[in-house]
Amino acid sequence: MNIDLYERIWMWAAAFIIALFVAMIGVSAVAYGLHPPSHVETIEPSKIFTDPRFSRLGAPVVMPDGTIEVQMVAVMFAFAPNEVRVPAGRPIRFRLTSADVTHGFLISGTNANTMLVPGYISQFTTVFTRPGDYLLVCHEFCGNGHHVMSGRIIVEEAK
Ligand code: CUA
């Protein structure tokens, strides 16, 4: 089969571009540790309140490495607990899940933003640089009381 020279050049160029894009996705996934929002830890939604992983609701736990772990559960139409106090300038690890339907978790004015999917534990770590009173809202429509589902994250001056 005769393929015109310019056609052949273009075919190789196109193949090279495709291979380059696939390689860029692969390299960035490994280099930056890209992964889904949940870290794929599962939990039985009906047993959350007896699960030891959520035995410290409302009482942030200081981990051996200095990180503060905050456990929260979303239920229609509230967060348990709905008010959390954490210090500024320290890594805060949020461990979150839903006891019923899919909820959202957004701390306004920050980049803390995840979905809470029943059956999964969502986890992320963040540092609040500025003390203040932050509004926590559910940003996934979860039913008739969705618009009242909110809480407060109170970031206190570091001691
Ligand atoms: Cu919970 Cu919307």
Side-chain angles (χ1 to χ4, degrees), residues 6 14-15 24 45-46 67 74 83 103 114 131 142 156:
Y6 291 117
M24 284 165 67
S46 63
T67 302
E83 190 176 300
H103 295 278
T114 188
C142 52
E156 298 173 321

Side-chain angles (χ1 to χ4, degrees), residues 103 138 140-142 146 149:
H103 295 278
C138 174
E140 291 287 337
F141 182 75
C142 52
H146 164 70
M149 185 165 171

Side-chain angles (χ1 to χ4, degrees), residues 30-156:
V30 174
Y32 302 119
L34 300 186
H35 52 73
S38 166
H39 70 150
V40 199
E41 179 180 349
T42 57
I43 187 166
E44 170 56 49
S46 63
K47 300 195 176 93
I48 290 168
F49 293 101
T50 53
D51 191 301
R53 290 173 293 174
F54 284 91
S55 61
R56 303 293 298 269
L57 294 175
V61 188
V62 181
M63 308 306 283
D65 66 354
T67 302
I68 293 172
E69 183 176 299
V70 174
Q71 305 170 351
M72 292 176 86
V73 176
V75 286
M76 286 189 271
F77 297 100
F79 294 98
N82 77 342
E83 190 176 300
V84 173
R85 287 176 183 274
V86 292
R90 281 180 69 171
I92 313 292
R93 178 159 60 240
F94 284 91
R95 304 246 313 149
L96 315 158
T97 191
S98 166
D100 39 44
V101 300
T102 298
H103 295 278
F105 185 96
L106 171 76
I107 303 174
S108 66
T110 73
N111 65 354
N113 179 347
T114 188
M115 280 171 75
L116 310 183
V117 181
Y120 290 90
I121 296 174
S122 299
Q123 175 178 305
F124 65 88
T125 303
T126 190
V127 175
F128 297 99
T129 49
R130 278 179 298 117
D133 203 334
Y134 293 81
L135 178 68
L136 165 66
V137 293
C138 174
H139 61 50
E140 291 287 337
F141 182 75
C142 52
N144 288 339
H146 164 70
H147 61 289
V148 298
M149 185 165 171
S150 67
R152 288 166 81 201
I153 305 292
I154 299 163
V155 179
E156 298 173 321

